[in-house]
Amino acid sequence: MGLDVVVGVFGEFDEVECEEFAEDFAIVRRELATAGLPDWHEPRLGEEDVVLQDMYGFSGLHHLRRLAAHLAASGAVPPPADAHPERDAVLRAAYDRGPAAVMAVRDGSAEHRWAAEAPTPGSAGDRHTFDHLIQHSDREGYYVPVDFTPVLLSDDVLGGYLGSSQRLLEECLRVAEALDLPIDLDPESEEMREAVEGEVQAPTAWQRHGVASLTCLQLIGAAWQSIRTGAAITFC
């Protein structure tokens, strides 16, 4: 079972599936309104604007999240992961700790919560959080092009967490900067394939983390397209 990331589901799936997405998006809009956030409507994109990313399975996302967790914890890029990045102790601790900031929506009301160890908004440490990248389902759910800092938590939203495309983009760009990853590199290029396959002699930082770099570029592309078109990023 793999992971796809789609921007513009109404232009990609059949009518029955689109009806299911429309029901999900109605819930998303309701929870955004409850949290006092701007309204949003999923557009119907033309075929030329739909983005479908065939990701490096769930493992690719775990490789990227592991990097982000280490950057949040220490500010340093860790050594490359083994075959099971999801077992990394720092990443597991980030999952167990939960988001630094969350807008919890339940029964028609919203509550803004901060973790006990979280930095206060606007502090120097605030820029080191990667909540939108890490604190999200790895197999389903949405990012919407509405700019909000605390991730939104709701039992009614698919996957439990709703993320912001703008914050996902900002967080992935910070990972790319830490890796010296060229953000204009084509994820489907031969250069990227060689990095993913470990075929590069004397690799640079991003090449040592080829799978994470590939996933980072794919999410950057999806986030840019989401913000440009107004369509949600969908994990499916």
Side-chain angles (χ1 to χ4, degrees):
M1 184 177 180
L3 172 67
D4 290 336
V5 171
V6 184
V7 179
V9 292
F10 286 166
E12 178 65 23
F13 294 97
D14 64 33
E15 184 175 342
V16 173
E17 291 171 308
C18 286
E19 288 179 0
E20 294 175 356
F21 284 120
E23 292 174 0
D24 284 347
F25 293 150
I27 294 172
V28 167
R29 291 181 60 213
R30 184 191 73 201
E31 303 300 75
L32 287 172
T34 301
L37 295 169
D39 194 14
W40 161 82
H41 292 265
E42 174 72 10
R44 185 172 294 275
L45 302 184
E47 183 179 348
E48 68 280 2
D49 286 323
V50 173
V51 169
L52 172 60
Q53 299 278 13
D54 183 11
M55 308 295 282
Y56 194 89
F58 301 114
S59 176
L61 192 58
H62 295 149
H63 276 279
L64 179 59
R65 287 178 173 177
R66 173 182 175 269
L67 275 177
H70 278 263
L71 288 171
S74 68
V77 175
D82 61 17
H84 297 284
E86 72 280 3
R87 299 177 184 174
D88 181 85
V90 175
L91 178 57
R92 296 310 311 173
Y95 285 145
D96 292 342
R97 185 168 56 248
V102 65
M103 181 65 72
V105 179
R106 187 176 185 182
D107 298 332
S109 62
E111 178 186 4
H112 191 174
R113 303 172 185 167
W114 288 88
E117 69 275 17
T120 57
S123 70
D126 190 44
R127 65 178 180 270
H128 297 303
T129 62
F130 292 85
D131 282 351
H132 289 260
L133 174 58
I134 296 175
Q135 307 296 339
H136 191 279
S137 171
D138 61 2
R139 62 186 63 245
E140 61 186 4
Y142 306 104
Y143 291 89
V144 293
V146 178
D147 195 355
F148 52 93
T149 299
V151 294
L152 193 150
L153 174 65
S154 168
D155 291 339
D156 294 333
V157 170
L158 184 67
Y161 282 112
L162 179 71
S164 163
S165 300
Q166 285 88 339
R167 294 303 97 213
L168 177 66
L169 174 60
E170 188 267 339
E171 291 173 11
C172 287
L173 288 174
R174 281 197 274 121
V175 175
E177 182 179 15
L179 292 174
D180 290 326
L181 171 63
I183 60 174
D184 58 350
L185 181 63
D186 184 353
E188 298 183 3
S189 66
E190 181 67 12
E191 187 176 4
M192 178 57 73
R193 186 199 65 78
E194 291 175 350
V196 169
E197 297 297 328
E199 298 177 355
V200 180
Q201 300 295 322
T204 62
W206 76 263
Q207 291 168 327
R208 286 194 296 273
H209 295 271
V211 173
S213 293
L214 169 63
T215 305
C216 188
L217 288 181
Q218 289 177 318
L219 290 183
I220 286 172
W224 268 333
Q225 189 71 344
S226 172
I227 295 165
R228 187 183 75 82
T229 64
I233 301 170
T234 302
F235 279 15
C236 55

